[in-house]
Amino acid sequence: MEIKVMPHISDSADAPVEGARGPGRLTALRDLFLVVATLVLVKQSLLPITQLYAGPASTFSAMIVATVLLRRRGMGWRDMGLRWPESWPKTLGLTLLTMAFFVVLTQLMVPLADYFFEDVGTSDRFSHVEGNLVAYVVIMLLVWTHGSFFEELLFRAFIINHTSGALGGGLRADIAALLLSSAFFGYRHAYYQGWHGALVTGAGGFAFGVFYLWFGRRNILPLILAHGVFNTLGQTFRFLGIEE
C-alpha cells in the first residue's frame, strides 16, 4: 500500500518539523493536550456517577474534539489510517497477527504484574452482563464503538501521531510516542482493573502501538478488528457465565 504522508500546517509560531506527520510541533502539542484533557476530565467527572459509562462517555467526547481539530488542520481520520482496505485477505491476516502478538505480550507481562500487584479482574464492572441479554446487547454496542474504533483511533492513531509530531517526528519520536501512549492506555484501565490490569493492558496497548507504527498509519482496521474481537469474546464469555 502507498503511504500517504499527512499534510503539514504552518503558521508564524509553529513551523512544521522536517519529516514529521501532520501539523507542526506546537500545534500537535496543543491538539494532543486538548484531546487528552477531554479523555481525563470527562471520565473523572463521571466516575462518581457511573463507573460503567464514564470511559465510553470520555472517548465519545474526545472523538468529537479530535475530529474537529483534524478538520481544522485540513485532515481527517483517513490521514490517520482509517481507510477501506485494498485487500481484505491481507487485512484479516494482519488482524490475526495482531491478535497473536497481543496475546504474547500480555501473557509475558502477567508474571511481572503478579509479582507487584494483586489481580482484581474487572472489579465486577461488567457483572450485570451475565445472563442479561439487554445488557449484553448494550455492551456489544460499546465494544464496537468505544472499545474498538474509538480507542484505536484515539490511543493509537491520534495520540501516537500527535505525540510524535510534538517531539519532532522520526523514529525516536515514534518510539517515545509509543511508550507514552501505552502507559496512558494502561492508566486508563486502572480505575477498575487495578495496577495489575493497568500493566497488562498497557502491554496490550504497546502491542497494538507497535503494529500501528508498522502498518496502522496506512490501514488501522486490523487493530480495530483485533481489539473488537478480544472485547467481544470477553463479554460473550461473561454473558454465558464462562470463566475467562
Side-chain angles (χ1 to χ4, degrees):
M1 299 180 186
E2 180 183 358
I3 300 177
K4 179 180 178 181
V5 178
M6 291 161 53
H8 293 312
I9 297 174
S10 62
D11 55 51
S12 58
D14 186 19
V17 178
E18 183 67 28
R21 291 171 175 267
R25 292 190 185 188
L26 293 180
T27 300
L29 181 60
R30 184 166 56 243
D31 290 357
L32 176 67
F33 173 79
L34 291 172
V35 168
V36 170
T38 300
L39 285 167
V40 173
L41 292 176
V42 172
K43 192 184 78 170
Q44 294 304 125
S45 298
L46 291 177
L47 274 178
I49 302 171
T50 170
Q51 190 180 75
L52 180 61
Y53 296 110
S58 70
T59 57
F60 275 93
S61 302
M63 279 296 297
I64 294 172
V65 173
T67 301
V68 170
L69 291 172
L70 287 173
R71 288 185 178 276
R72 288 181 61 188
R73 313 305 175 203
M75 298 184 290
W77 290 110
R78 175 179 173 81
D79 298 294
M80 301 282 177
L82 185 60
R83 306 172 187 176
W84 192 258
E86 295 179 4
S87 170
W88 275 105
K90 181 177 181 179
T91 295
L92 294 177
L94 290 173
T95 299
L96 294 175
L97 183 60
T98 300
M99 294 176 70
F101 190 51
F102 177 94
V103 170
V104 169
L105 285 196
T106 53
Q107 290 307 303
L108 287 175
M109 179 58 73
V110 167
L112 179 64
D114 286 341
Y115 183 80
F116 288 103
F117 304 105
E118 178 186 2
D119 184 0
V120 298
T122 57
S123 303
D124 294 326
R125 183 187 180 204
F126 303 110
S127 59
H128 67 292
V129 173
E130 184 173 348
N132 186 332
L133 182 59
V134 173
Y136 175 72
V137 171
V138 171
I139 286 294
M140 283 299 100
L141 291 175
L142 292 177
V143 160
W144 287 103
T145 51
H146 151 75
S148 56
F149 272 88
F150 294 172
E151 286 198 339
E152 289 308 308
L153 290 175
L154 289 169
F155 290 95
R156 253 59 70 183
F158 195 95
I159 289 180
I160 286 180
N161 274 316
H162 281 71
T163 302
S164 180
L167 295 174
L171 180 59
R172 291 183 179 178
D174 279 351
I175 293 174
L178 168 64
L179 294 174
L180 289 171
S181 68
S182 302
F184 184 50
F185 187 64
Y187 154 77
R188 283 275 299 184
H189 293 76
Y191 72 100
Y192 73 97
Q193 293 183 8
W195 290 110
H196 182 285
L199 283 176
V200 176
T201 303
F206 181 84
F208 284 139
V210 166
F211 278 14
Y212 180 72
L213 293 178
W214 174 22
F215 59 76
R217 281 169 167 156
R218 303 185 301 275
N219 180 13
I220 198 174
L221 194 57
L223 304 182
I224 292 171
L225 293 175
H227 200 152
V229 168
F230 278 129
N231 286 351
T232 295
L233 290 174
Q235 296 296 351
T236 300
F237 289 156
R238 187 169 287 112
F239 171 67
L240 296 175
I242 300 174
E243 292 287 337
E244 298 182 52

